[in-house]
Amino acid sequence: MRHVLFAVFLGVACTTSEAAHSYDDAAAARLFVPLAEQRHTGAHSNMGPMYAAGPVVPKDPQGAVKSWQRAAEQGDTEGQYHLGLMYDKGQGVPQDFIRAYMWYHLAAKAVSGDDAMVAIKLRDRVASCMSAAQIAKALEMARHCRQSKFKECD
């Protein structure tokens, strides 16, 4: 229900502002920052790329990780996928293939179609750099994370 209310709010906000006619990142940031502070999942997913790339908000890879972490903790697959990328590349966090595999795996299990194929491809690429024991650990971490409803994922 919270996602529906967030979508309605965002739709109303965009259609009643100049952002609807000339969308820009600054307008989006003005909308998403207060919502992210209130822990809205969609806002966290949208703030992640802004922190990762800058310049609308100061470039902050750790801030991007925090935003995607908060989204992922609420079951957001986009947040899970992007956390996989950040751990895979070592951006904002130390490079960690086990955690990258875990987040890619969780995202792949939660979506279908092309989105699932992308997550699976990235997960399998990371797996090629891992031992069987590391993959088993990542799968166990993913299982524990899912069972805890994404509250215990580290």
Side-chain angles (χ1 to χ4, degrees):
M1 181 65 171
R2 189 171 15 163
H3 297 293
V4 172
L5 292 175
F6 171 72
V8 169
F9 168 78
L10 188 57
V12 170
C14 285
T15 57
T16 59
S17 72
E18 287 184 27
H21 302 293
S22 61
Y23 176 82
D24 62 60
D25 288 341
R30 284 192 300 275
L31 290 171
F32 290 129
V33 168
L35 292 171
E37 289 170 355
Q38 295 173 23
R39 297 191 58 86
H40 287 281
T41 304
H44 287 295
S45 285
N46 284 295
M47 287 303 299
M50 291 181 190
Y51 283 125
V56 174
V57 294
K59 186 174 183 174
D60 179 6
Q62 291 87 7
V65 169
K66 275 186 186 177
S67 287
W68 284 317
Q69 181 77 39
R70 288 181 182 136
E73 287 172 354
Q74 295 175 36
D76 182 79
T77 55
E78 189 173 329
Q80 295 165 0
Y81 168 80
H82 280 97
L83 279 175
L85 284 173
M86 299 300 272
Y87 279 109
D88 184 0
K89 303 296 181 191
Q91 296 177 346
V93 290
Q95 188 176 43
D96 185 335
F97 291 141
I98 294 172
R99 282 186 172 74
Y101 186 101
M102 177 192 75
W103 287 116
Y104 286 146
H105 181 75
L106 288 167
K109 292 291 185 185
V111 296
S112 60
D114 291 342
D115 291 338
M117 292 306 297
V118 169
I120 289 167
K121 186 174 183 177
L122 290 168
R123 181 197 65 196
D124 292 349
R125 184 188 50 75
V126 167
S128 70
C129 302
M130 299 169 66
S131 68
Q134 289 173 315
I135 293 169
K137 180 176 181 179
L139 289 171
E140 174 57 28
M141 288 171 63
R143 184 192 62 72
H144 181 74
C145 181
R146 195 173 22 252
Q147 284 181 341
S148 72
K149 297 187 181 181
F150 306 102
K151 300 300 180 208
E152 298 174 12
C153 296
D154 278 330

